[in-house]
Amino acid sequence: MSDFDFIVVGAGPAGSSAAIRLATAGSSVLLVERADPPGSKAVSGGILWGRDLDGLIPDWEKSAPVERYIDFKSTSFLTRDSKISIDFRSKKFEEKKTGYSVLRAKLDQFLALKAKAAGATLVTGITVDSLARKENRIVGVVQDGDTITSDAVILAEGANPRVAIESGLREPLRDRDCAIGIKQIVKLSEATVNERFNLTGNSGYAGEFALGYLEGGVRAGGFLYTNKDSLSIGVVIAMENLRANGSTYSYDIMEKFMEHPYVKPLVEGGRVQEYSAHLVPEGGIDSMPKLFGDGYLIAGDSASMTFSNGMIIQGMNYAIASGAMAADSLLEAAKKKDFSGAALSSYQDRLEHSQVLMDLRKFRGIDKVTWSRLVHEVAPGMMENILFSMFYEDGNPKKHLAEIILGSLSKANMKRSELIMETYRMLRRM
Amino acid sequence: MALEIVVMVKQVPDSQEVVIDPVTMNLNRSLTRNVTNKADENALEAALQLRDEVGGHVTVVSMGPPQAESTMIECLARGADRAILVSDRFFGGADTYPTGLTVASAISKLEKVDVIFAGEESSDSSTGHVGPGVAEFLGMEQATYVSSVKYADGFIIAERELEDGTEVIKMPTPVLLTILLNANVPRRQTLKRKIAATKQGYEVWNLEKLGMPPEWVGVRGSPTIVRKMRPIKEKERAAKRFEIDQIPDLVRELFEIGALKLEEMQ
């Protein structure tokens, strides 16, 4: 007899979602989390996209600690002097809400307490040391010499899945599979947030930025999201890229982003409430480990389930969806009392038929676009030239748009054929 | 003989993360993490060591809001036998006087008490009142700033750290001891013990259970009136780099801004 039916390692969106589903179905579940309270070690940009919580917490939009619903989505290219943006605002998002800004310190606690309310045993402030094995099956977890047993374990450790790696269930992280994220929460008054971002009620802004103006060809993306009375602002820098630029410090990039002439006024006067940094899984499907085996499943960031195309960054939605599907697979396996890898392969099937793996397969290699020189440097520079030429009135005869574009193409620091190929590749991958 | 030991604990905002709301001048508790007061962890450890040596039971008593749950579970996971959270909205806003009275009232409901342990003071208000207050309300002998504790034949032998040395005193039980911060190393919580603690659970005692008049507790029972609070303005600071051969410049500059003064050599 096991101590628990199931053990879930990690009470983030993936782990707590799994625990909610399992406990609601009547299983005995141990949900163990190193942070106390849950969420206090978590870092994420902070937009929860999608409706994956619908199936777990029926009234979540009313009860969950969401900050603002996003009705203002923006993608910007920054050069040293300019900002070129595509803004999309729509009343349609008021009817059909698609994303909410969230603060993980609150959201993770909410989800973990939902799991507890559903009957899970929630233990916080404890770090699991390793997995317990019996004839190569995972049969529980080990902590400080004690073994706690279960029929199966869900590993939902987040971006740095130490237990999974040390147990040989996934490869160690390589530089090219990771980015580093730095984030600040900057406190402002609710009225100031509304005024600066032209928001009303509890509508919110979510902006992504390509930071092509950084020295030494460092490529980084920025993000800026509105919470009720604070901003989540940060940068994501490809690890490989950072490592190659030995002289660049990640916090300098953060500073440069916040000092940009069109970013600074948005955050000015705010008080930094949190400063955090975290690994970001960026490797996509190619860095995904085997998702199941005898007695275990891997969900969320631990399984590299994140998506970014430069215009939108997602992860929490995949975490919630994969956590719920991991739970469903365990509940199905429990009917036959078979927790072998063969039985748990239904988890892979569920993911393959869902948005999670469909997205990740379809957008394989998207990182080559989002981190490309074209997107970060060349295109923004060209756009800046084109738009500046169009809008700068110097009293000389005006040019046709085509002339301006051709002019800026020849100025672009990239071969024309290469540029066309790159653009084609970009559009195909996005 | 088996000792019945009580430990008084308090949940406090993590002192590393405390933020004062500039408008209300109160602690902004919404974003701060709550932890068990560090000196109380030392008090619990001292109690557990005494129990493990002599035998008996350790009961943890805390007064606080429902979120003190995590502290209750933590104390059980470290090895306490029983945990009681004294919690009621009537107790809110209490200063150290009704807090001591309420905790003393809860302890007096226990069948038998030989030794009470408390931390020397809490990190959030640093008064050190409540431990000694409880001893007074219960009419019990007390020793403060204790660093180590032994028991023999109905007597507690306690070492007190004083400014000019260490005092060793022998007192008959029952007795209340306040334990110095960092007097010992609290034992770890383990997953196994924390699971057991979560399953065991803790008791919540409200005003009715204590049978105290509402005007004796909480803000109504508090004689302290805070007239005014003001934040301390942070001084502007600057950093400047001087090479070793520029030290005369550094001295001159410090002198010019008034940070250094000339004094006659005697």
Side-chain angles (χ1 to χ4, degrees):
Chain A
M1 180 76 191
S2 302
D3 296 323
F4 291 89
D5 293 340
F6 307 114
I7 296 175
V8 181
V9 181
S16 288
S17 297
I20 290 169
R21 179 62 58 83
L22 291 169
T24 307
S27 306
S28 74
V29 185
L30 170 65
L31 176 59
V32 52
E33 164 61 42
R34 75 187 166 124
D36 182 23
S40 55
K41 286 182 191 277
V43 184
S44 79
I47 308 287
L48 173 59
W49 295 104
R51 314 214 49 91
D52 298 280
L53 280 177
D54 285 354
L56 292 165
I57 305 163
D59 64 337
W60 69 273
E61 280 172 288
K62 289 192 194 100
S63 55
V66 293
E67 297 286 317
R68 290 169 182 266
Y69 76 89
I70 303 306
D71 80 336
F72 185 174
K73 186 72 195 74
S74 169
T75 306
S76 307
F77 299 88
L78 299 185
T79 66
R80 202 194 62 181
D81 299 319
S82 311
K83 173 185 169 192
I84 304 138
S85 292
I86 302 160
D87 286 354
F88 183 64
R89 293 198 77 167
S90 180
K91 278 282 163 198
K92 287 183 202 285
F93 288 135
E94 198 177 328
E95 290 295 308
K96 297 167 110 174
K97 298 198 167 75
T98 174
Y100 286 95
S101 53
V102 295
L103 296 170
R104 289 289 295 275
K106 292 180 185 169
L107 180 73
D108 287 21
Q109 218 176 138
F110 168 81
L111 293 174
L113 290 177
K114 282 285 172 194
K116 189 180 170 192
T121 302
L122 171 65
V123 172
T124 57
I126 298 282
T127 308
V128 164
D129 297 330
S130 59
L131 295 173
R133 283 172 199 267
K134 197 172 164 188
E135 292 146 14
N136 262 335
R137 287 172 52 97
I138 306 300
V139 293
V141 299
V142 179
Q143 197 274 331
D144 213 355
D146 300 320
T147 299
I148 315 294
T149 57
S150 65
D151 291 339
V153 174
I154 295 180
L155 290 166
E157 303 175 78
N160 192 7
R162 192 187 46 81
V163 174
I165 291 170
E166 285 176 14
S167 312
L169 301 183
R170 80 156 291 162
E171 296 282 306
L173 301 170
R174 299 166 300 183
D175 277 1
R176 66 181 133 130
D177 300 332
C178 307
I180 178 169
I182 301 185
K183 179 190 178 185
Q184 288 189 18
I185 295 179
V186 177
K187 176 102 170 86
L188 290 166
S189 75
E190 191 174 339
T192 308
V193 173
N194 285 342
E195 198 180 307
R196 286 186 186 178
F197 293 86
N198 196 11
L199 301 170
T200 52
N202 59 338
S203 69
Y205 161 91
E208 321 296 335
F209 299 81
L211 311 179
Y213 61 104
L214 298 168
E215 287 141 34
V218 177
R219 267 154 240 161
F223 61 86
L224 177 55
Y225 308 139
T226 55
N227 303 311
K228 192 153 282 169
D229 53 5
S230 64
L231 305 175
S232 293
I233 181 167
V235 292
V236 177
I237 312 146
M239 196 72 99
E240 221 172 16
N241 196 254
L242 191 63
R243 196 96 74 183
N245 286 274
S247 62
T248 308
Y249 294 100
S250 51
Y251 50 81
D252 285 339
I253 296 172
M254 179 76 186
E255 290 298 308
K256 280 198 180 122
F257 176 45
M258 293 186 74
E259 287 291 320
H260 189 276
Y262 297 111
V263 174
K264 196 177 175 183
L266 298 172
V267 292
E268 209 157 45
R271 192 166 45 78
V272 178
Q273 213 163 31
E274 256 180 49
Y275 191 108
S276 52
H278 212 284
L279 271 183
V280 186
E282 283 261 340
I285 195 98
D286 292 322
S287 68
M288 195 171 269
K290 185 161 178 272
L291 299 172
F292 61 93
D294 291 339
Y296 78 91
L297 299 169
I298 305 181
D301 272 10
S302 287
S304 308
M305 291 170 182
T306 59
F307 175 79
S308 165
N309 63 0
M311 297 179 75
I312 196 161
I313 305 175
Q314 300 189 338
M316 285 184 274
N317 52 336
Y318 295 122
I320 292 164
S322 65
M325 283 185 268
D328 287 337
S329 304
L330 288 182
L331 292 170
E332 190 183 306
K335 283 187 198 144
K336 296 177 201 147
K337 295 207 181 333
D338 179 3
F339 299 98
S340 66
L344 297 184
S345 68
S346 68
Y347 175 49
Q348 180 93 29
D349 298 338
R350 283 189 165 83
L351 288 166
E352 294 283 3
H353 288 96
S354 76
Q355 183 196 12
V356 181
L357 282 184
M358 284 180 164
D359 285 358
L360 291 177
R361 286 205 191 287
K362 191 168 189 175
F363 290 92
R364 168 184 234 147
I366 183 83
D367 51 314
K368 292 187 182 68
V369 173
T370 48
W371 295 113
S372 70
R373 198 166 79 86
L374 173 72
V375 167
H376 278 258
E377 260 179 78
V378 181
M382 277 170 48
M383 285 190 284
E384 183 184 35
N385 282 337
I386 293 167
L387 293 166
F388 187 79
S389 311
M390 274 176 69
F391 299 133
Y392 183 66
E393 184 54 71
D394 58 1
N396 286 323
K398 290 180 176 52
K399 288 177 182 169
H400 274 126
L401 182 59
E403 280 177 84
I404 299 175
I405 292 175
L406 285 173
S408 75
L409 270 177
S410 59
K411 268 184 237 152
N413 191 16
M414 205 180 215
K415 274 196 208 130
R416 205 172 291 189
S417 56
E418 197 186 338
L419 195 66
I420 291 165
M421 278 308 293
E422 280 278 318
T423 310
Y424 173 72
R425 262 175 49 194
M426 177 181 94
L427 292 175
R428 235 188 57 142
R429 284 207 162 109
M430 281 182 81
Chain B
M1 81 162 259
L3 288 176
E4 292 303 323
I5 304 167
V6 170
V7 186
M8 297 162 45
V9 302
K10 182 185 186 185
Q11 190 175 64
V12 295
D14 191 345
S15 54
Q16 319 232 307
E17 300 178 16
V18 167
V19 178
I20 306 281
D21 188 314
V23 180
T24 63
M25 298 310 302
N26 285 325
L27 282 180
N28 180 352
R29 287 174 198 264
S30 62
L31 279 165
T32 12
R33 226 162 68 91
N34 294 311
V35 297
T36 305
N37 184 42
K38 282 280 172 282
D40 299 353
E41 288 184 354
N42 298 120
L44 174 63
E45 181 57 33
L48 294 172
Q49 285 177 12
L50 188 63
R51 178 202 63 187
D52 293 347
E53 208 178 291
V54 185
H57 300 97
V58 171
T59 300
V60 167
V61 176
S62 181
M63 184 178 111
Q67 70 253 30
E69 173 182 10
S70 53
T71 285
M72 299 284 90
I73 298 296
E74 197 183 304
C75 292
L76 289 169
R78 286 191 204 277
D81 301 287
R82 182 184 179 191
I84 299 164
L85 176 62
V86 180
S87 188
D88 200 310
R89 58 188 177 82
F90 284 105
F91 300 143
D95 68 14
T96 55
Y97 187 86
T99 301
L101 189 62
T102 308
V103 173
S105 163
I107 292 173
S108 70
K109 297 265 176 242
L110 300 172
E111 214 163 284
K112 177 171 172 280
V113 177
D114 297 305
V115 191
I116 300 174
F117 285 89
E120 58 169 316
E121 61 180 37
S122 61
S123 61
D124 60 343
S125 49
S126 303
T127 62
H129 289 174
V130 177
V134 166
E136 287 306 308
F137 287 126
L138 293 174
M140 205 180 263
E141 297 300 326
Q142 59 172 296
T144 50
Y145 306 112
V146 170
S147 57
S148 85
V149 182
K150 289 262 177 296
Y151 174 82
D153 309 322
F155 288 89
I156 285 287
I157 297 115
E159 279 187 22
R160 299 182 67 214
E161 297 296 329
L162 303 177
E163 263 176 38
D164 47 359
T166 305
E167 181 182 75
V168 182
I169 50 173
K170 189 173 172 185
M171 315 165 75
T173 57
V175 60
L176 182 142
L177 308 167
T178 74
I179 304 297
L180 281 175
L181 178 66
N182 298 331
N184 50 39
V185 180
R187 61 195 66 184
R188 289 198 303 262
Q189 314 172 61
T190 63
L191 179 56
K192 192 176 174 181
R193 285 206 295 254
K194 219 155 176 183
I195 292 166
T198 308
K199 289 192 169 162
Q200 181 192 344
Y202 60 96
E203 298 157 51
V204 179
W205 289 9
N206 59 12
L207 182 71
E208 198 189 334
K209 166 88 182 174
L210 297 187
M212 296 170 77
E215 62 271 20
W216 287 16
V217 301
V219 71
R220 286 171 71 190
S222 299
T224 311
I225 297 163
V226 179
R227 283 192 54 198
K228 200 181 172 189
M229 297 247 279
R230 59 188 168 81
I232 296 167
K233 275 208 186 105
E234 262 191 63
K235 281 197 175 156
E236 282 205 23
R237 297 172 205 211
K240 206 167 175 180
R241 190 190 162 101
F242 288 89
E243 297 300 331
I244 195 94
D245 55 352
Q246 296 169 319
I247 286 186
D249 300 338
L250 169 66
V251 173
R252 190 174 307 114
E253 206 164 305
L254 287 172
F255 178 74
E256 278 165 7
I257 63 168
L260 284 182
K261 287 191 174 60
L262 277 183
E263 265 182 35
E264 295 279 331
M265 295 279 278
Q266 302 216 325

